[in-house]
Coordinates of all heavy atoms in Angstrom, one line a residue:
M142 N 0.8 -1.2 0.0 CA 0.0 0.0 0.0 C 0.9 1.2 0.0 O 1.9 1.3 0.7 CB -0.9 0.0 1.2 CG -1.9 1.1 1.3 SD -3.1 1.0 2.6 CE -4.1 -0.3 2.1
T143 N 0.5 2.2 -0.7 CA 1.3 3.4 -0.8 C 1.2 4.2 0.5 O 0.1 4.3 1.1 CB 0.7 4.3 -1.9 OG1 0.6 3.5 -3.2 CG2 1.6 5.5 -2.2
Q144 N 2.3 4.7 0.9 CA 2.3 5.5 2.2 C 1.3 6.7 2.0 O 1.3 7.4 1.0 CB 3.7 6.0 2.5 CG 3.8 6.6 3.9 CD 5.2 6.9 4.3 OE1 6.1 6.8 3.4 NE2 5.4 7.3 5.5
G145 N 0.5 6.9 3.0 CA -0.5 8.0 3.0 C -1.8 7.6 2.4 O -2.8 8.3 2.5
A146 N -1.9 6.3 1.8 CA -3.2 5.9 1.2 C -4.1 5.5 2.3 O -3.7 4.9 3.3 CB -3.0 4.7 0.3
A147 N -5.4 5.8 2.2 CA -6.4 5.4 3.2 C -6.8 4.0 3.0 O -6.8 3.4 2.0 CB -7.6 6.3 3.0
E148 N -7.0 3.3 4.2 CA -7.5 2.0 4.2 C -8.9 2.0 3.7 O -9.7 2.8 4.1 CB -7.4 1.4 5.7 CG -7.7 0.0 5.8 CD -7.6 -0.5 7.3 OE1 -6.8 0.1 8.0 OE2 -8.3 -1.4 7.6
P149 N -9.3 1.1 2.8 CA -10.6 1.0 2.3 C -11.7 0.8 3.3 O -11.4 0.0 4.3 CB -10.6 -0.1 1.2 CG -9.2 -0.5 1.1 CD -8.4 0.0 2.2
K150 N -12.8 1.4 3.3 CA -13.8 1.2 4.2 C -14.6 -0.1 4.0 O -14.7 -0.5 2.8 CB -14.8 2.4 4.1 CG -14.2 3.7 4.6 CD -15.2 4.8 4.5 CE -14.6 6.1 5.1 NZ -15.5 7.3 5.0
K151 N -15.0 -0.7 5.1 CA -15.7 -2.0 4.9 C -16.5 -2.2 6.2 O -16.3 -1.6 7.2 CB -14.7 -3.1 4.7 CG -13.7 -3.3 5.8 CD -12.5 -4.2 5.2 CE -11.3 -4.0 6.1 NZ -10.1 -4.6 5.5
V152 N -17.5 -3.1 6.1 CA -18.3 -3.5 7.2 C -17.9 -4.9 7.5 O -17.8 -5.8 6.7 CB -19.8 -3.5 6.8 CG1 -20.7 -4.0 8.0 CG2 -20.3 -2.2 6.3
L153 N -17.5 -5.1 8.8 CA -17.0 -6.4 9.2 C -18.1 -7.1 10.1 O -18.5 -6.4 11.1 CB -15.7 -6.3 10.0 CG -14.5 -5.7 9.2 CD1 -13.3 -5.5 10.2 CD2 -14.1 -6.6 8.1
V154 N -18.5 -8.3 9.8 CA -19.5 -9.0 10.6 C -18.9 -10.3 11.1 O -18.4 -11.1 10.4 CB -20.7 -9.3 9.7 CG1 -21.8 -10.0 10.6 CG2 -21.3 -8.1 9.0
C155 N -18.8 -10.3 12.5 CA -18.2 -11.6 13.1 C -19.2 -12.7 12.9 O -20.4 -12.7 13.3 CB -18.0 -11.3 14.6 SG -17.2 -12.8 15.3
V156 N -18.7 -13.8 12.3 CA -19.5 -15.0 12.1 C -18.8 -16.2 12.8 O -19.2 -17.4 12.6 CB -19.7 -15.3 10.6 CG1 -20.5 -14.2 10.0 CG2 -18.4 -15.5 9.9
H157 N -17.8 -15.9 13.7 CA -17.1 -17.0 14.3 C -18.1 -17.9 15.1 O -18.9 -17.3 15.9 CB -16.1 -16.5 15.2 CG -15.2 -17.5 15.9 ND1 -14.7 -18.5 15.3 CD2 -14.9 -17.6 17.2 CE1 -14.0 -19.3 16.1 NE2 -14.1 -18.8 17.3
H158 N -18.0 -19.2 14.9 CA -19.0 -20.1 15.6 C -18.2 -21.2 16.3 O -17.5 -22.0 15.8 CB -19.9 -20.8 14.5 CG -21.1 -21.5 15.1 ND1 -22.3 -21.4 14.4 CD2 -21.2 -22.1 16.2 CE1 -23.2 -22.1 15.2 NE2 -22.5 -22.5 16.3
R159 N -18.3 -21.1 17.6 CA -17.6 -22.1 18.5 C -18.5 -23.3 18.6 O -19.7 -23.2 18.6 CB -17.3 -21.5 19.9 CG -16.3 -20.5 19.9 CD -15.8 -20.2 21.3 NE -14.7 -19.3 21.2 CZ -14.8 -18.0 21.2 NH1 -16.0 -17.4 21.1 NH2 -13.8 -17.2 21.1
L160 N -17.8 -24.5 18.6 CA -18.6 -25.7 18.6 C -19.0 -26.2 20.0 O -19.8 -27.0 20.1 CB -17.7 -26.8 17.9 CG -17.5 -26.6 16.5 CD1 -16.6 -27.7 15.9 CD2 -18.7 -26.4 15.7
T161 N -18.5 -25.5 21.0 CA -18.9 -25.8 22.4 C -19.6 -24.6 23.0 O -19.5 -23.5 22.4 CB -17.7 -26.1 23.2 OG1 -16.9 -24.9 23.5 CG2 -16.8 -27.2 22.6
D162 N -20.3 -24.8 24.0 CA -21.0 -23.7 24.7 C -20.1 -23.1 25.8 O -20.6 -22.3 26.6 CB -22.3 -24.2 25.3 CG -23.3 -24.6 24.2 OD1 -23.2 -24.0 23.1 OD2 -24.1 -25.4 24.5
A163 N -18.8 -23.5 25.9 CA -18.0 -23.0 26.9 C -17.8 -21.5 26.9 O -17.7 -20.8 27.9 CB -16.6 -23.7 26.8
K164 N -17.9 -20.9 25.7 CA -17.8 -19.5 25.6 C -18.7 -19.1 24.4 O -18.8 -19.8 23.4 CB -16.4 -19.1 25.2 CG -16.0 -17.6 25.2 CD -14.6 -17.3 25.0 CE -14.3 -15.8 25.0 NZ -12.9 -15.5 24.8
P165 N -19.4 -17.9 24.6 CA -20.3 -17.6 23.5 C -19.6 -17.2 22.2 O -18.4 -16.8 22.2 CB -21.1 -16.4 24.1 CG -20.2 -15.8 25.1 CD -19.5 -17.0 25.7
S166 N -20.3 -17.2 21.1 CA -19.7 -16.8 19.8 C -20.8 -16.1 19.0 O -21.9 -16.5 19.1 CB -19.1 -18.0 19.1 OG -20.0 -19.0 18.8
C167 N -20.3 -15.2 18.2 CA -21.3 -14.5 17.3 C -22.0 -15.4 16.4 O -23.2 -15.2 16.1 CB -20.6 -13.4 16.6 SG -19.8 -12.1 17.6
G168 N -21.3 -16.3 15.8 CA -21.9 -17.3 14.9 C -23.1 -18.1 15.5 O -24.1 -18.3 14.9
A169 N -22.8 -18.5 16.8 CA -23.9 -19.2 17.5 C -25.1 -18.3 17.8 O -26.1 -18.8 18.1 CB -23.3 -19.8 18.8
R170 N -24.9 -17.0 17.8 CA -26.0 -16.1 18.1 C -26.6 -15.5 16.9 O -27.3 -14.5 17.0 CB -25.4 -15.0 19.0 CG -25.0 -15.5 20.4 CD -24.4 -14.4 21.2 NE -24.3 -14.7 22.7 CZ -23.7 -14.0 23.5 NH1 -23.2 -12.8 23.2 NH2 -23.7 -14.4 24.8
G171 N -26.3 -16.0 15.7 CA -26.9 -15.5 14.5 C -26.1 -14.6 13.6 O -26.7 -13.9 12.8
G172 N -24.8 -14.6 13.9 CA -23.9 -13.7 13.1 C -24.0 -13.8 11.6 O -24.0 -12.9 10.8
R173 N -24.1 -15.1 11.2 CA -24.2 -15.3 9.7 C -25.5 -14.7 9.1 O -25.5 -14.2 8.0 CB -24.0 -16.8 9.4 CG -23.7 -17.1 8.0 CD -23.1 -18.5 7.8 NE -21.8 -18.6 8.2 CZ -20.7 -18.3 7.5 NH1 -20.8 -17.8 6.3 NH2 -19.5 -18.6 8.0
R174 N -26.6 -14.8 9.8 CA -27.8 -14.3 9.4 C -27.7 -12.7 9.3 O -28.2 -12.1 8.4 CB -29.0 -14.7 10.3 CG -30.3 -14.1 10.0 CD -30.9 -14.7 8.7 NE -32.2 -14.1 8.3 CZ -32.6 -13.8 7.1 NH1 -31.8 -14.1 6.1 NH2 -33.8 -13.4 6.9
I175 N -27.1 -12.2 10.3 CA -26.9 -10.7 10.3 C -26.1 -10.3 9.1 O -26.4 -9.3 8.4 CB -26.1 -10.3 11.6 CG1 -27.0 -10.6 12.8 CG2 -25.7 -8.8 11.5 CD1 -28.3 -9.8 12.9
A176 N -25.0 -11.1 8.8 CA -24.2 -10.8 7.6 C -25.1 -10.8 6.3 O -24.9 -10.0 5.4 CB -23.0 -11.8 7.5
E177 N -25.9 -11.8 6.2 CA -26.8 -12.0 5.0 C -27.7 -10.7 4.9 O -27.9 -10.2 3.8 CB -27.6 -13.2 5.1 CG -26.8 -14.5 5.0 CD -27.6 -15.8 5.3 OE1 -28.8 -15.7 5.7 OE2 -27.0 -16.8 5.2
L178 N -28.3 -10.4 6.0 CA -29.3 -9.3 6.0 C -28.6 -8.0 5.7 O -29.1 -7.1 4.9 CB -30.0 -9.1 7.4 CG -30.9 -10.3 7.8 CD1 -31.4 -10.2 9.2 CD2 -32.1 -10.3 6.8
L179 N -27.4 -7.7 6.3 CA -26.7 -6.5 6.0 C -26.2 -6.5 4.5 O -26.3 -5.4 3.9 CB -25.5 -6.4 6.9 CG -25.6 -5.6 8.2 CD1 -24.4 -5.7 9.0 CD2 -26.1 -4.2 8.0
T180 N -25.7 -7.6 4.0 CA -25.3 -7.6 2.6 C -26.4 -7.3 1.7 O -26.3 -6.5 0.8 CB -24.7 -9.1 2.3 OG1 -23.6 -9.3 3.2 CG2 -24.3 -9.2 0.9
A181 N -27.6 -7.8 2.0 CA -28.7 -7.6 1.1 C -29.2 -6.1 1.2 O -29.5 -5.5 0.2 CB -29.9 -8.5 1.5
E182 N -29.2 -5.6 2.4 CA -29.6 -4.2 2.5 C -28.6 -3.2 1.9 O -29.0 -2.2 1.3 CB -29.9 -3.9 4.0 CG -30.7 -2.6 4.3 CD -32.0 -2.5 3.6 OE1 -32.6 -3.6 3.2 OE2 -32.5 -1.4 3.4
V183 N -27.4 -3.5 2.1 CA -26.3 -2.6 1.5 C -26.4 -2.6 0.0 O -26.4 -1.6 -0.7 CB -24.9 -3.0 2.0 CG1 -23.8 -2.5 1.1 CG2 -24.7 -2.6 3.5
A184 N -26.7 -3.8 -0.6 CA -26.8 -3.9 -2.0 C -28.1 -3.3 -2.5 O -28.1 -2.5 -3.5 CB -26.8 -5.4 -2.4
R185 N -29.2 -3.5 -1.7 CA -30.5 -2.9 -2.1 C -30.4 -1.3 -2.2 O -30.9 -0.7 -3.1 CB -31.6 -3.3 -1.1 CG -33.0 -2.9 -1.6 CD -34.0 -3.3 -0.5 NE -34.0 -2.4 0.6 CZ -34.6 -1.2 0.6 NH1 -35.2 -0.8 -0.4 NH2 -34.5 -0.5 1.7
R186 N -29.6 -0.8 -1.3 CA -29.5 0.7 -1.3 C -28.3 1.2 -2.2 O -28.1 2.4 -2.2 CB -29.2 1.2 0.2 CG -30.4 0.9 1.1 CD -30.2 1.5 2.4 NE -31.3 1.0 3.3 CZ -31.8 1.8 4.3 NH1 -31.3 3.0 4.5 NH2 -32.8 1.4 5.1
G187 N -27.6 0.2 -2.7 CA -26.5 0.6 -3.6 C -25.3 1.3 -2.9 O -24.6 2.1 -3.5
L188 N -25.1 1.0 -1.6 CA -24.0 1.6 -0.9 C -22.7 1.0 -1.3 O -22.5 -0.2 -1.4 CB -24.2 1.4 0.6 CG -25.5 2.0 1.2 CD1 -25.7 1.6 2.7 CD2 -25.4 3.5 1.1
P189 N -21.7 1.9 -1.6 CA -20.4 1.4 -2.1 C -19.5 1.0 -1.0 O -18.4 1.6 -0.8 CB -19.9 2.6 -2.9 CG -20.4 3.8 -2.1 CD -21.8 3.3 -1.6
I190 N -19.8 -0.1 -0.4 CA -18.9 -0.6 0.7 C -19.1 -2.1 0.8 O -20.2 -2.6 0.7 CB -19.3 0.0 2.1 CG1 -18.3 -0.2 3.1 CG2 -20.7 -0.3 2.5 CD1 -18.4 0.6 4.4
P191 N -18.0 -2.9 0.9 CA -18.2 -4.3 1.1 C -18.6 -4.8 2.5 O -18.2 -4.1 3.4 CB -16.7 -4.9 0.7 CG -15.8 -3.7 1.1 CD -16.6 -2.5 0.9
V192 N -19.3 -5.8 2.5 CA -19.7 -6.5 3.8 C -18.8 -7.7 3.9 O -19.0 -8.6 3.0 CB -21.2 -6.8 3.9 CG1 -21.5 -7.5 5.3 CG2 -22.0 -5.5 3.8
E193 N -17.9 -7.8 4.8 CA -17.0 -8.9 4.9 C -17.3 -9.7 6.2 O -17.5 -9.2 7.2 CB -15.6 -8.4 4.9 CG -15.2 -7.7 3.6 CD -13.8 -7.2 3.5 OE1 -13.0 -7.5 4.4 OE2 -13.5 -6.6 2.5
L194 N -17.1 -11.1 6.1 CA -17.2 -11.9 7.2 C -15.9 -11.8 8.0 O -14.8 -11.7 7.4 CB -17.4 -13.4 6.8 CG -18.6 -13.6 5.8 CD1 -18.8 -15.1 5.6 CD2 -19.9 -13.0 6.4
F195 N -16.0 -11.9 9.3 CA -14.8 -11.7 10.2 C -14.8 -12.8 11.3 O -15.9 -13.2 11.6 CB -14.9 -10.3 10.8 CG -13.6 -9.8 11.4 CD1 -12.6 -9.3 10.7 CD2 -13.4 -9.9 12.8 CE1 -11.4 -8.9 11.3 CE2 -12.2 -9.5 13.4 CZ -11.2 -9.0 12.6
I196 N -13.7 -13.1 11.7 CA -13.6 -14.1 12.7 C -13.0 -13.5 14.0 O -11.8 -13.3 14.2 CB -12.6 -15.3 12.3 CG1 -13.2 -15.9 11.0 CG2 -12.5 -16.3 13.4 CD1 -14.6 -16.6 11.2
C197 N -13.9 -13.1 14.9 CA -13.7 -12.7 16.3 C -12.9 -11.4 16.5 O -11.8 -11.3 16.2 CB -13.0 -13.9 17.0 SG -13.2 -13.7 18.8
F198 N -13.7 -10.5 17.1 CA -13.1 -9.2 17.5 C -12.6 -9.3 19.0 O -12.1 -8.3 19.5 CB -14.2 -8.2 17.5 CG -14.7 -7.8 16.1 CD1 -16.0 -8.3 15.8 CD2 -14.0 -7.1 15.2 CE1 -16.5 -8.0 14.5 CE2 -14.5 -6.8 13.9 CZ -15.8 -7.2 13.6
G199 N -12.8 -10.5 19.6 CA -12.5 -10.6 21.0 C -13.5 -9.9 21.9 O -13.3 -9.6 23.1
Q200 N -14.7 -9.7 21.4 CA -15.8 -9.2 22.2 C -17.0 -10.2 22.2 O -18.2 -9.8 22.0 CB -16.3 -7.9 21.5 CG -15.3 -6.8 21.4 CD -15.2 -6.0 22.7 OE1 -16.2 -5.7 23.4 NE2 -14.0 -5.7 23.2
C201 N -16.6 -11.4 22.3 CA -17.6 -12.6 22.2 C -18.8 -12.5 23.1 O -19.9 -12.9 22.7 CB -16.8 -13.9 22.4 SG -15.2 -13.9 21.6
E202 N -18.6 -12.0 24.3 CA -19.7 -11.9 25.3 C -20.7 -10.9 24.8 O -21.9 -10.9 25.3 CB -19.1 -11.5 26.7 CG -18.0 -12.3 27.2 CD -18.4 -13.6 27.7 OE1 -19.6 -13.8 28.0 OE2 -17.5 -14.5 27.9
R203 N -20.4 -10.1 23.9 CA -21.3 -8.9 23.5 C -21.9 -9.1 22.1 O -22.5 -8.2 21.6 CB -20.5 -7.6 23.6 CG -19.9 -7.4 24.9 CD -19.0 -6.2 24.9 NE -19.8 -5.0 24.9 CZ -19.3 -3.7 24.7 NH1 -18.1 -3.6 24.5 NH2 -20.1 -2.7 24.7
G204 N -21.7 -10.3 21.5 CA -22.1 -10.5 20.1 C -23.6 -10.7 20.0 O -24.3 -10.9 20.9
P205 N -24.0 -10.8 18.7 CA -23.3 -10.7 17.5 C -22.7 -9.2 17.3 O -23.4 -8.3 17.6 CB -24.3 -11.0 16.4 CG -25.4 -11.7 17.1 CD -25.4 -11.2 18.4
N206 N -21.5 -9.2 16.8 CA -20.8 -7.9 16.7 C -20.6 -7.5 15.2 O -20.3 -8.4 14.3 CB -19.4 -8.0 17.3 CG -19.5 -8.2 18.8 OD1 -20.2 -7.5 19.5 ND2 -18.9 -9.2 19.3
V207 N -20.7 -6.2 15.0 CA -20.5 -5.6 13.6 C -19.7 -4.4 13.8 O -20.0 -3.6 14.7 CB -21.9 -5.3 12.9 CG1 -21.6 -4.5 11.6 CG2 -22.7 -6.5 12.7
R208 N -18.7 -4.2 12.9 CA -17.8 -3.0 13.1 C -17.7 -2.4 11.7 O -17.5 -3.0 10.7 CB -16.5 -3.5 13.6 CG -15.5 -2.3 13.8 CD -14.3 -2.7 14.6 NE -13.9 -1.6 15.4 CZ -13.0 -1.7 16.4 NH1 -12.5 -2.8 16.7 NH2 -12.7 -0.6 17.1
L209 N -17.7 -1.1 11.7 CA -17.4 -0.3 10.5 C -15.9 0.1 10.6 O -15.5 0.7 11.6 CB -18.3 1.0 10.5 CG -19.8 0.8 10.7 CD1 -20.5 2.1 10.4 CD2 -20.3 -0.3 9.8
A210 N -15.2 -0.3 9.6 CA -13.7 -0.2 9.6 C -13.3 0.6 8.4 O -13.9 0.5 7.3 CB -13.1 -1.5 9.7
P211 N -12.2 1.4 8.6 CA -11.5 1.6 9.8 C -12.1 2.7 10.7 O -12.6 3.7 10.2 CB -10.1 2.0 9.3 CG -10.3 2.7 8.0 CD -11.5 2.0 7.5
G212 N -12.0 2.5 12.0 CA -12.3 3.5 12.9 C -13.8 3.9 13.1 O -14.1 5.0 13.6
G213 N -14.7 3.1 12.6 CA -16.1 3.4 12.7 C -16.8 2.8 13.9 O -16.2 2.3 14.8
V214 N -18.1 2.9 13.9 CA -18.9 2.4 15.0 C -18.8 0.9 15.2 O -18.7 0.2 14.2 CB -20.4 2.8 14.8 CG1 -21.3 2.3 16.0 CG2 -20.6 4.2 14.5
F215 N -18.8 0.4 16.5 CA -18.7 -0.9 16.8 C -20.1 -1.3 17.4 O -20.4 -0.8 18.5 CB -17.6 -1.2 17.8 CG -17.1 -2.6 17.9 CD1 -15.9 -2.8 18.5 CD2 -17.8 -3.6 17.4 CE1 -15.4 -4.1 18.6 CE2 -17.3 -5.0 17.5 CZ -16.1 -5.2 18.1
F216 N -20.8 -2.1 16.7 CA -22.2 -2.5 17.2 C -22.1 -3.8 17.9 O -21.5 -4.8 17.4 CB -23.2 -2.6 16.0 CG -23.4 -1.4 15.3 CD1 -22.6 -1.0 14.2 CD2 -24.4 -0.5 15.7 CE1 -22.8 0.2 13.5 CE2 -24.6 0.7 15.0 CZ -23.9 1.0 13.9
H217 N -22.8 -3.9 19.1 CA -22.8 -5.2 19.8 C -24.3 -5.6 20.0 O -25.2 -4.8 19.9 CB -22.2 -5.0 21.2 CG -20.9 -4.3 21.2 ND1 -19.7 -5.0 20.8 CD2 -20.4 -3.1 21.5 CE1 -18.7 -4.2 20.9 NE2 -19.1 -3.0 21.3
G218 N -24.5 -6.9 20.2 CA -25.8 -7.4 20.4 C -26.7 -7.1 19.2 O -27.9 -6.8 19.4
V219 N -26.2 -7.3 18.0 CA -26.9 -7.0 16.9 C -28.0 -8.0 16.6 O -27.8 -9.2 16.7 CB -26.0 -6.9 15.6 CG1 -26.8 -6.6 14.3 CG2 -25.0 -5.8 15.8
T220 N -29.2 -7.5 16.3 CA -30.4 -8.3 15.9 C -30.8 -7.8 14.5 O -30.5 -6.8 14.1 CB -31.5 -8.2 16.9 OG1 -31.9 -6.8 16.9 CG2 -31.1 -8.6 18.3
A221 N -31.7 -8.6 13.9 CA -32.3 -8.2 12.6 C -33.0 -6.9 12.7 O -33.0 -6.1 11.7 CB -33.3 -9.3 12.1
E222 N -33.5 -6.6 13.9 CA -34.3 -5.3 14.0 C -33.3 -4.1 14.0 O -33.8 -3.0 13.9 CB -35.0 -5.3 15.4 CG -36.2 -6.3 15.4 CD -35.8 -7.7 15.4 OE1 -34.8 -8.1 16.0 OE2 -36.6 -8.6 14.8
R223 N -32.0 -4.3 14.1 CA -31.1 -3.2 14.1 C -30.4 -3.0 12.7 O -29.6 -2.1 12.6 CB -30.0 -3.4 15.2 CG -30.6 -3.4 16.6 CD -29.5 -3.6 17.6 NE -28.7 -2.3 17.7 CZ -27.5 -2.3 18.3 NH1 -27.0 -3.4 18.9 NH2 -26.8 -1.2 18.2
I224 N -30.8 -3.7 11.8 CA -30.2 -3.5 10.4 C -30.4 -2.1 9.9 O -29.4 -1.5 9.4 CB -30.8 -4.6 9.4 CG1 -30.5 -6.0 9.8 CG2 -30.3 -4.3 8.0 CD1 -29.0 -6.3 9.9
E225 N -31.6 -1.6 10.1 CA -31.9 -0.2 9.6 C -30.9 0.8 10.3 O -30.3 1.6 9.6 CB -33.3 0.2 9.9 CG -33.7 1.6 9.6 CD -33.7 2.0 8.1 OE1 -33.8 1.0 7.3 OE2 -33.5 3.2 7.8
E226 N -30.8 0.6 11.6 CA -29.9 1.6 12.4 C -28.4 1.4 11.8 O -27.7 2.4 11.7 CB -29.9 1.1 13.8 CG -28.9 1.7 14.7 CD -28.7 1.0 16.1 OE1 -29.6 0.1 16.4 OE2 -27.8 1.3 16.8
I227 N -28.0 0.2 11.5 CA -26.6 0.0 11.1 C -26.4 0.6 9.7 O -25.4 1.2 9.4 CB -26.2 -1.5 11.1 CG1 -26.3 -1.9 12.6 CG2 -24.9 -1.7 10.5 CD1 -26.1 -3.4 12.8
V228 N -27.4 0.4 8.8 CA -27.3 0.9 7.5 C -27.3 2.5 7.5 O -26.6 3.1 6.7 CB -28.5 0.4 6.6 CG1 -28.5 1.1 5.2 CG2 -28.3 -1.1 6.4
V229 N -28.0 3.1 8.3 CA -28.0 4.5 8.5 C -26.6 4.9 8.9 O -26.0 5.9 8.4 CB -29.0 5.0 9.5 CG1 -28.8 6.5 9.9 CG2 -30.5 4.8 8.9
A230 N -26.0 4.2 9.9 CA -24.6 4.5 10.3 C -23.6 4.3 9.2 O -22.7 5.0 9.1 CB -24.3 3.6 11.5
I231 N -23.8 3.3 8.4 CA -22.9 3.0 7.2 C -23.0 4.3 6.3 O -22.0 4.7 5.8 CB -23.3 1.7 6.5 CG1 -23.0 0.5 7.4 CG2 -22.6 1.6 5.1 CD1 -23.6 -0.8 6.8
S232 N -24.2 4.7 6.0 CA -24.3 5.9 5.1 C -23.6 7.1 5.6 O -22.9 7.8 4.9 CB -25.8 6.3 4.9 OG -26.5 5.2 4.3
A233 N -23.6 7.3 6.9 CA -22.9 8.4 7.6 C -21.4 8.2 7.5 O -20.6 9.1 7.2 CB -23.4 8.6 9.0
F234 N -21.0 6.9 7.7 CA -19.6 6.6 7.7 C -19.0 6.8 6.3 O -17.9 7.3 6.2 CB -19.5 5.1 8.1 CG -18.1 4.5 8.2 CD1 -17.2 5.0 9.0 CD2 -17.8 3.4 7.4 CE1 -15.9 4.5 9.2 CE2 -16.5 2.8 7.5 CZ -15.6 3.3 8.4
L235 N -19.8 6.5 5.3 CA -19.3 6.7 3.9 C -19.1 8.2 3.6 O -18.3 8.5 2.7 CB -20.2 6.1 2.9 CG -20.2 4.5 2.9 CD1 -21.4 4.0 2.1 CD2 -18.9 4.0 2.4
E236 N -19.8 9.0 4.3 CA -19.7 10.5 4.0 C -18.5 11.1 4.8 O -18.0 12.2 4.4 CB -20.9 11.2 4.4 CG -22.1 10.8 3.5 CD -23.4 11.5 4.0 OE1 -23.4 12.3 4.9 OE2 -24.5 11.1 3.4
Q237 N -17.9 10.4 5.7 CA -16.8 10.9 6.5 C -15.5 10.7 5.6 O -15.4 9.8 4.8 CB -16.6 10.1 7.8 CG -17.6 10.2 8.8 CD -17.5 9.2 9.9 OE1 -16.5 8.5 10.0 NE2 -18.5 9.2 10.8
P238 N -14.6 11.7 5.8 CA -13.3 11.6 5.0 C -12.6 10.3 5.4 O -12.6 9.9 6.6 CB -12.5 12.8 5.4 CG -13.3 13.5 6.5 CD -14.7 12.9 6.6
A239 N -11.9 9.7 4.5 CA -11.1 8.4 4.8 C -9.9 8.8 5.7 O -9.4 9.9 5.6 CB -10.6 7.8 3.5
E240 N -9.6 7.8 6.6 CA -8.4 8.0 7.4 C -7.2 7.8 6.6 O -7.0 6.7 6.0 CB -8.5 7.1 8.6 CG -9.6 7.4 9.6 CD -9.6 6.4 10.8 OE1 -8.8 5.5 10.8 OE2 -10.3 6.7 11.7
G241 N -6.2 8.7 6.7 CA -4.9 8.4 6.1 C -4.0 7.6 6.9 O -4.3 7.5 8.1
R242 N -3.0 7.0 6.4 CA -2.1 6.2 7.1 C -0.7 6.8 7.1 O -0.3 7.4 6.1 CB -2.0 4.7 6.6 CG -3.3 4.0 6.8 CD -3.3 3.5 8.2 NE -4.7 3.1 8.6 CZ -5.0 2.6 9.8 NH1 -4.1 2.3 10.6 NH2 -6.2 2.3 10.1
Ligands
FES1276 S1 -16.9 -14.6 18.4 FE1 -17.5 -12.7 17.6 S2 -16.2 -11.4 18.7 FE2 -15.6 -13.3 19.3

């Protein structure tokens, strides 16, 4: 990457799914469904940002987790009812100037 270039903006959705119940995971709490809903809504609105699957932010107790990167809002306890809220935040995030490196 060229020095000074901004990191591309993206939506990260944790879909990590632990096979045991010893510790919670976003995947076990519906993270993959959240990723599908967000991907569909971002596409429906024509928002120019990728929605990417992510494996663990280290915030497992608070999942499902969604993060706007780089440096955007970190959503916890995401449900299907919060997709609209997140898409509104994505729109605002896209209007912010990119962070330089
Ligand atoms: S499993 Fe999603 S933050 Fe750890």
Side-chain angles (χ1 to χ4, degrees):
M142 183 177 289
T143 307
Q144 189 172 10
E148 186 178 334
K150 293 180 178 180
K151 55 195 162 191
V152 181
L153 300 174
V154 183
C155 181
V156 295
H157 183 48
H158 195 142
R159 290 193 173 84
L160 296 178
T161 72
D162 293 332
K164 188 174 179 183
S166 60
C167 296
R170 291 176 166 175
R173 197 163 285 275
R174 178 69 179 142
I175 296 300
E177 291 169 358
L178 292 171
L179 268 178
T180 299
E182 191 59 19
V183 163
R185 191 181 75 77
R186 296 185 187 215
L188 297 175
I190 191 167
V192 178
E193 299 182 2
L194 307 184
F195 195 80
I196 301 296
C197 201
F198 296 107
Q200 297 278 321
C201 319
E202 309 283 344
R203 304 173 74 192
N206 295 309
V207 173
R208 183 166 213 168
L209 309 187
V214 182
F215 201 164
F216 296 91
H217 307 288
V219 175
T220 60
E222 290 70 32
R223 295 185 67 197
I224 296 299
E225 172 70 20
E226 171 194 351
I227 296 171
V228 170
V229 168
I231 291 170
S232 296
F234 183 59
L235 287 170
E236 292 176 8
Q237 295 171 4
E240 290 183 354
R242 291 278 161 178

